Amino acid sequence: MNITVYLGANEGNDPRLRKAVEELGTWIGNSGNALIYGGSKSGLMGAIADSVLQAGGEVIGVEPNFFIESELQHEGLTKLIVTKDMTERKNLMIALGEAFIAFPGGTGTLEEIAEVMSKVSLKQLDAPCILYNLNGYYDDLKALLNHMIEKGLSSKERQEGIYFAENLDEIKQILKLA
């Protein structure tokens, strides 16, 4: 299974993030799945790619040309696909993915997973969309989605396929059901 993971090129200030992302990457590599991600060598993005590769897994990076010009690409990937811009990158990462995980990240991570959530809710994408709610990172987003249902602007049926996972074991369970 191709698992698209959205996460930041920053390390963050919580050492538990790196530990959890390396655990996720090691599992992806050991389980025979492949990682699709943004292609950077920096921060948490570099850490997940390294951990998948060290576990013997396949890693496909999708990176826009302007990041290549800044020399942010990871050199040891199984495959690096260079796109003309962020829009092409996002579309390709969705096209290549069979499951989607948003690890804690910044505005780019939020923007990318929001598009996946929308496609899943509109039944334009039949794949699990998992928000890795490590240490409650996505609690407020979970509350917002529930608030949308309460206000009649969304529904439980609309949000089928969008999951919140507290840890790697829950991610594995969701992917088994998919």
Side-chain angles (χ1 to χ4, degrees), residues 160-177:
E160 285 177 4
I162 300 171
Y163 304 92
F164 288 82
E166 306 298 319
N167 54 53
L168 180 56
D169 285 338
E170 289 185 13
I171 290 171
K172 291 177 192 178
Q173 285 301 105
I174 292 165
L175 293 178
K176 279 183 192 172
L177 300 173

Side-chain angles (χ1 to χ4, degrees), residues 10-163:
N10 292 324
E11 189 79 26
N13 58 15
D14 182 348
R16 295 177 293 184
L17 292 174
R18 184 176 186 94
K19 183 176 186 256
V21 85
E22 288 173 346
E23 179 185 46
L24 176 62
T26 299
W27 171 76
I28 290 171
N30 284 335
S31 64
N33 294 306
L35 171 68
I36 310 297
Y37 89 117
S40 179
K41 65 183 176 185
S42 303
L44 297 174
M45 290 176 74
I48 197 167
D50 289 341
S51 60
V52 173
L53 291 166
Q54 287 166 6
E58 181 179 334
V59 179
I60 300 170
V62 183
E63 195 157 37
N65 191 54
F66 69 90
F67 282 158
I68 300 293
E69 292 168 359
S70 300
E71 298 182 1
L72 297 174
Q73 74 275 10
H74 192 298
E75 297 293 342
L77 303 180
T78 309
K79 183 176 184 180
L80 178 65
I81 301 170
V82 180
T83 62
K84 68 178 188 242
D85 57 26
M86 292 295 279
T87 300
E88 185 181 359
R89 174 201 205 184
K90 272 193 325 181
N91 290 335
L92 188 55
M93 288 176 71
I94 291 170
L96 292 172
E98 297 169 278
F100 301 86
I101 300 172
F103 195 81
T107 54
T109 301
L110 181 61
E111 189 260 341
E112 290 171 321
I113 201 63
E115 183 165 343
V116 173
M117 290 167 55
S118 178
K119 287 179 180 293
V120 167
S121 72
L122 294 171
K123 309 300 184 224
Q124 299 298 302
L125 183 60
D126 183 20
C129 174
I130 303 168
L131 292 113
Y132 193 161
N133 196 30
L134 185 68
N135 304 317
Y137 190 81
Y138 286 113
D139 281 350
D140 292 334
L141 180 56
K142 188 176 190 178
L144 177 60
L145 292 175
N146 287 330
H147 185 66
M148 291 173 180
I149 293 170
E150 291 167 10
K151 294 297 180 183
L153 299 170
S154 186
S155 66
K156 287 185 189 249
E157 296 75 30
R158 242 317 144 82
Q159 293 183 22
E160 285 177 4
I162 300 171
Y163 304 92

